[in-house]
Amino acid sequence: MLRRFHCEITIANNGKEAVDLFLEGNKFDIVLCDNDMPIMTGPKAVEKICAMGENDVKIIGLLANNNVQEVFMTAGVDVFVPKPLKIDVLGAMIQEVINKKNNSIV
């Protein structure tokens, strides 16, 4: 889906890899984070990323089960999206980030 929006994509196969990408100094505009990731859960990865002071990244929590919404919220996720993710919802979020970046450049 992200390729439809001409996004540059970096894949982390688990929460620890996601955190490690930030520790290596990588910067991202959007992070899509599932709750059920191996090695380190999505909420734990979000908590660690936020603790690093990464405030310019929009973190989207992907939820198959609304019961974990509170855990994601406490961790610092910006918005929740139910799975399966719909293309129009993803497109609107990507456009929001693009608009924010364009406004901050001016």
Side-chain angles (χ1 to χ4, degrees), residues 1-75:
M1 270 199 275
L2 292 170
R3 286 188 176 89
R4 286 184 170 181
F5 300 103
H6 308 287
C7 294
E8 183 178 327
I9 303 166
T10 302
I11 296 174
N13 294 305
N14 58 63
K16 183 181 181 319
E17 284 183 15
V19 171
D20 288 346
L21 286 166
F22 280 94
L23 287 172
E24 293 166 4
N26 293 290
K27 298 292 182 190
F28 302 98
D29 297 316
I30 299 176
V31 171
L32 300 173
C33 190
D34 197 316
N35 178 58
D36 298 319
M37 294 193 298
I39 301 175
M40 181 185 297
T41 66
K44 190 65 172 174
V46 170
E47 183 181 307
K48 288 183 176 284
I49 291 166
C50 291
M52 288 182 233
E54 295 293 339
N55 300 323
D56 293 333
V57 61
K58 183 174 190 84
I59 302 177
I60 301 167
L62 301 175
L63 302 172
N65 179 347
N66 282 339
N67 293 338
V68 296
Q69 190 170 4
E70 179 76 25
V71 176
F72 256 132
M73 181 180 276
T74 302

